[in-house]
Amino acid sequence: MARDSSATKARLLDAAFSEFATYGIAGARVDRIAEAAQANKRLIYVYFGNKEQLFDAVLQRALETGSESVPFDVEDLPGYAGAIFDHLVAQPALMRLMLWKQLERPGSADAEVASYRAKIALVEQAQRAGLIEPSLDPADVLTLVLGLSQAWFGAMGGDADWEPERLARHRAAVVESVRRATSPAPAP
């Protein structure tokens, strides 16, 4: 019977995502990843190289999934922020993975930088078109939108904070804050 390498890679990436989100790069164990994926440990090295390269693959997959699930909409930054919030509610381990990345690997990969620059260029175009407050630096606009959409995940603590009513209030606050921060000021 032929092996399904794509299914094995997917299981390894899923297991590695969970392991890295829980323990970070330094604390993650290849043995636990292989066991959780029901795969031979050697396949991690065959498919991905080393643990750091596996982390890179997990991070790249998470970023691609996020971009597909939450496409950037420069014409509706409040809605975009709300969609990021929803994505993080659905994938709470994603925020932990990103925090570990910041702690253990500060800086950005080339793909992250390219994505960020493309979004900044779109913000700048939207500012020229009068859709976004033009007095703000485009990079600041994007940083504020991303920061506001993620802020509650660092502030929440305990299961009570994940009640639907509270999440709805937090989401509404994010969306309204982004709307206020990015809407063009009325003409005098």
Side-chain angles (χ1 to χ4, degrees):
M1 180 173 163
R3 292 184 191 172
D4 184 357
S5 65
S6 61
T8 302
K9 286 179 188 177
R11 286 194 322 273
L12 285 166
L13 287 169
D14 289 343
F17 177 93
S18 179
E19 181 77 7
F20 288 129
T22 302
Y23 300 104
I25 301 169
R29 296 292 172 255
V30 173
D31 291 344
R32 286 192 302 243
I33 294 168
E35 184 180 334
Q38 297 178 335
N40 185 314
K41 177 174 123 175
R42 183 182 62 80
L43 292 176
I44 292 172
Y45 300 102
V46 169
Y47 294 146
F48 302 104
N50 58 35
K51 185 169 68 167
E52 288 75 19
Q53 291 169 313
L54 176 59
F55 181 81
D56 291 341
V58 167
L59 188 60
Q60 182 63 35
R61 183 182 188 214
L63 293 172
E64 289 170 1
T65 300
S67 292
E68 291 169 9
S69 299
V70 186
F72 184 64
D73 186 354
V74 74
E75 294 183 15
D76 182 15
L77 291 178
Y80 175 66
I84 291 172
F85 183 92
D86 295 340
H87 183 69
L88 292 172
V89 167
Q91 297 286 329
L94 180 57
M95 211 48 217
R96 288 192 311 272
L97 180 73
M98 298 309 292
L99 290 171
W100 279 114
K101 189 259 184 225
Q102 289 175 356
L103 287 170
E104 295 184 301
R105 284 234 185 114
S108 300
D110 292 341
E112 292 174 273
V113 171
S115 174
Y116 196 73
R117 285 187 179 150
K119 288 176 179 137
I120 289 171
L122 291 172
V123 169
E124 195 170 20
Q125 289 173 4
Q127 286 176 309
R128 285 193 301 269
L131 300 173
I132 298 172
E133 174 56 43
S135 66
L136 300 171
D137 182 273
D140 290 342
V141 170
L142 184 58
T143 300
L144 287 168
V145 170
L146 296 174
L148 286 167
S149 63
Q150 299 170 19
W152 280 112
F153 299 93
M156 289 197 249
D159 294 338
D161 284 339
W162 291 91
E163 294 171 352
E165 298 81 20
R166 182 170 288 199
L167 287 172
R169 285 194 311 273
H170 293 331
R171 185 188 195 282
V174 166
V175 170
E176 181 60 16
S177 296
V178 170
R179 186 192 65 74
R180 288 182 187 188
T182 62
S183 293

